[in-house]
Amino acid sequence: MEQLFNDIQQQIATKMGDTITLIDEDCGQLEALANGEDQYPVTFPCVLIGIPETIWETMKSGIQHGKTTLTVRLAFDCYDDTHYGSSQEQHAAERMALAGRLNSYLHCWRFDECATVLIRRTSRQFSQPGGIKVYEMEYTTTVADEIQNNES
C-alpha cells in the first residue's frame, strides 16, 4: 500500500505541483482545522489522500487480491465573493476545473502496485467551517499482495 500511496503522490506532484501547495496523507487535517484543534499545518489548495479500506480475497496460498478504496480530497480556502455580479464568479469555476483536472490524472491510471486501473466511484463537494471547500473523489482498484510466511 505504501507504494500505491507514494505513486499517487508522485503523479499528482508531477502533473499539478505548480498549482497544489500540499499533497499529503489524509490524517483528518481538515476536520481538526474545523474543530480548532492543534494540527499539522495545512496550506491551500491541498490534496489529501486516504486509503480507508481494502477487502481481501485469498487467491492461493500466500497470494491475496484486495479491492481497495482510495479517497482524494482537494481542498481550498475560499475567500472569494463568487456570487453572480461580483466580478469574481470565475473562481468557483476555476476550483471545479481543477477538481476535474485532478480526476483526469487519476481515473483509469494504473499504478505499479495495482492489478487494475483506478476507477472513480463517487464524487462530492462540501463546505466546512472557515470557508473551506472540498472536492472529494473516491476511487477503487485491485491490488495484489504476496504474504511471506515467517515460520522458523
Side-chain angles (χ1 to χ4, degrees), residues 76-93:
F76 298 90
D77 195 1
C78 300
Y79 288 103
D80 305 313
D81 181 3
T82 56
H83 77 275
Y84 182 76
S86 69
S87 76
Q88 294 183 13
E89 302 93 340
Q90 80 279 4
H91 291 291

Side-chain angles (χ1 to χ4, degrees), residues 59-121:
M59 305 308 286
K60 61 181 181 176
S61 181
I63 305 275
Q64 288 189 308
H65 279 182
K67 184 174 182 182
T68 299
T69 302
L70 296 103
T71 58
V72 178
R73 299 196 305 171
L74 173 62
F76 298 90
D77 195 1
C78 300
Y79 288 103
D80 305 313
D81 181 3
T82 56
H83 77 275
Y84 182 76
S86 69
S87 76
Q88 294 183 13
E89 302 93 340
Q90 80 279 4
H91 291 291
E94 289 167 359
R95 289 191 295 270
M96 291 176 200
L98 195 59
R101 192 172 140 210
L102 175 59
N103 178 62
S104 75
Y105 297 132
L106 298 176
H107 180 70
C108 290
W109 190 263
R110 185 167 184 255
F111 294 92
D112 288 339
E113 196 173 284
C114 297
T116 61
V117 297
L118 285 183
I119 299 295
R120 181 174 55 175
R121 195 180 77 75

Side-chain angles (χ1 to χ4, degrees), residues 24-44:
D24 199 358
E25 180 181 17
D26 191 341
C27 297
Q29 296 94 318
L30 298 178
E31 290 75 16
L33 185 64
N35 295 331
E37 300 170 16
D38 288 337
Q39 46 127 42
Y40 185 80
V42 178
T43 57
F44 297 97

